[in-house]
């Protein structure tokens, strides 16, 4: 059993269609893949049909944009009911915030001497219902201003960067409660990646588990070094929460995130499925 519980399709900022992604997962030898696009479940129906056709398991999910103490934190929600009104309304609000941020970002890029038009960005957004920074990065690449997404983020788009504009995200404890309220299982995505190790310290995680019912931590992720993985695994064990592993695959949009590069055990996957079934109303 090779199980990968965090991937993105072109329905957010990955580059494969949901169908292509599931076929690629089967070719990579995965037995289960979770599709977890940013703030939308729009790719799940197509992914699920393809998974059935190619004979692998599809765990439906979403990666919710949240904020905690001023920092962006990503929350994975598995098995949520996307029609649950409070979650649906919040995801809609987040997607609107992503789209509203576009014109101020474009104004900053123009001032910085690397102009791109809204139409140039829209051409990169494709099947996604909202604009991600990686789409803006792709437009900068297509316009010849930078070589790749990485350069676009390093020079302009990174958090606090010269063309970064904050956007709406749901407060983290509220996000965990919304996932739970929609019958889902919540797992903090790459909790000690990039900039969040200081805000998601062990005491904070302990409180999120005790007070909000957080279900798990993504331990094995490319943004975590060996020490972070070992410390996070020990924390998950101590708190009695689920420890997952995943690729955070984005197609050609992210290097070194190949399908199956990190995996989740069959036992943890079975427990997630069991909790989803138990929470279904
Ligand atoms: P957004 O959700 O539209 O604000 O864009 C965030 C996405 O951009 C994340 O999910 C990452 O995939 C990517 N990203 C954020 N910061 C960086 C960075 N410094 N370098 C490369 N990619 C980044
Ligand atoms: Zn992404
Ligand atoms: Fe993420
Ligand atoms: Fe992700």
């Amino acid at each position: 059993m090779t199980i990968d519980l965090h991937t993105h399709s072109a329905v957010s900022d990955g580059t494969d269609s949901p169908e292509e992604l599931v076929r690629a997962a089967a070719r990579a030898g995965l037995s289960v893949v979770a599709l977890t696009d940013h703030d939308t479940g729009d790719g799940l129906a197509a992914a699920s049909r393809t998974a059935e056709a190619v004979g692998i398991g599809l765990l439906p999910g979403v990666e919710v944009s949240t904020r905690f103490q001023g920092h962006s934190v990503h929350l994975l929600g598995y098995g949520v009911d996307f029609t649950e009104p409070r979650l649906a309304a919040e995801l809609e609000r987040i997607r609107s915030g992503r789209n509203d941020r576009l014109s101020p970002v474009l104004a900053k890029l123009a001032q910085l001497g690397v102009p791109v038009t809204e139409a140039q960005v829209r051409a990169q957004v494709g099947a996604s219902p909202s604009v991600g920074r990686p789409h803006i990065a792709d437009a900068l690449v297509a316009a010849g201003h930078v070589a790749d997404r990485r350069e676009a983020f390093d020079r302009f788009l990174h958090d606090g960067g010269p063309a970064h504009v904050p956007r709406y995200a749901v407060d983290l404890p509220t996000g965990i409660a919304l996932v739970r309220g929609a019958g889902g299982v919540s797992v903090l995505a790459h909790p000690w990646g990039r900039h969040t190790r200081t805000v998601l310290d062990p005491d904070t995680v302990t409180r999120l588990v005790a007070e909000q019912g957080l279900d798990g931590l993504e331990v094995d992720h490319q943004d975590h070094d060996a020490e972070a993985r070992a410390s996070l695994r020990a924390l998950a064990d101590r708190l009695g929460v689920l420890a997952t592993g995943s690729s955070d695959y984005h197609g050609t949009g992210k290097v070194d995130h190949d399908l199956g590069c990190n995996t989740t055990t069959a036992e943890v996957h079975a427990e997630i499925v069991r909790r989803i079934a138990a929470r279904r109303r």
Side-chain angles (χ1 to χ4, degrees):
M1 295 279 278
T2 307
I3 300 169
D4 185 341
L5 294 189
H6 178 169
T7 71
H8 297 271
S9 76
V11 173
S12 61
D13 55 8
T15 57
D16 292 357
S17 69
E19 294 89 340
E20 287 166 347
L21 184 152
V22 171
R23 288 183 190 283
R27 279 197 308 275
L30 299 187
S31 41
V32 177
V33 66
L35 176 61
T36 54
D37 275 314
H38 297 285
D39 309 309
T40 180
D42 284 3
L44 291 170
S48 162
R49 283 193 299 273
T50 308
E52 200 156 312
V54 301
I56 69 169
L58 187 277
L59 180 66
V62 63
E63 186 173 15
V64 182
S65 300
T66 83
R67 199 168 305 288
F68 192 64
Q69 293 173 356
H71 290 268
S72 162
V73 172
H74 287 177
L75 179 70
L76 295 161
Y78 297 109
V80 297
D81 174 1
F82 285 92
T83 69
E84 194 283 317
R86 293 193 314 140
L87 178 67
E90 199 59 44
L91 291 178
E92 174 59 38
R93 188 171 174 194
I94 296 168
R95 290 193 300 266
S96 298
R98 291 172 155 284
N99 294 327
D100 294 346
R101 153 190 75 170
L102 180 56
S103 69
V105 171
L106 296 184
K108 289 193 171 198
L109 290 172
Q111 277 176 356
L112 291 160
V114 287
V116 290
T117 64
E118 178 163 347
Q120 285 174 306
V121 176
R122 292 281 163 206
Q124 303 297 330
V125 172
S128 173
S130 66
V131 181
R133 271 183 282 168
H135 299 125
I136 304 171
D138 291 345
L140 286 165
V141 175
H145 296 311
V146 296
D148 51 25
R149 277 188 183 183
R150 171 144 297 273
E151 187 187 345
F153 272 94
D154 288 349
R155 287 178 58 194
F156 305 113
L157 297 172
H158 62 271
D159 287 1
H164 180 238
V165 175
R167 62 182 172 84
Y168 174 76
V170 63
D171 167 64
L172 175 61
T174 306
I176 296 171
L178 286 175
V179 167
R180 182 65 178 256
V185 169
S186 59
V187 173
L188 282 180
H190 43 75
W192 289 355
R194 283 202 187 98
H195 53 256
T196 45
R197 185 162 184 164
T198 45
V199 280
L200 297 174
D201 61 278
D203 285 349
T204 298
V205 174
T206 302
R207 242 177 303 114
L208 292 170
V209 171
E211 294 171 13
Q212 311 299 328
L214 176 71
D215 289 287
L217 303 175
E218 188 175 57
V219 169
D220 289 310
H221 185 281
Q222 297 302 77
D223 289 355
H224 297 156
D225 62 18
E227 184 277 327
R229 293 179 190 214
S231 301
L232 265 177
R233 189 175 304 284
L235 178 61
D237 286 349
R238 183 159 65 74
L239 296 176
V241 300
L242 305 170
T244 69
S246 73
S247 62
D248 203 356
Y249 174 75
H250 279 67
T252 58
K254 241 182 196 177
V255 293
D256 198 27
H257 286 253
D258 294 339
L259 285 164
C261 65
N262 300 298
T263 59
T264 297
T265 66
E267 292 70 31
V268 167
H269 169 253
E271 178 60 18
I272 291 172
V273 170
R274 196 194 64 69
R275 289 187 194 186
I276 292 168
R279 291 173 193 176
R280 190 149 295 162
R281 291 146 300 163

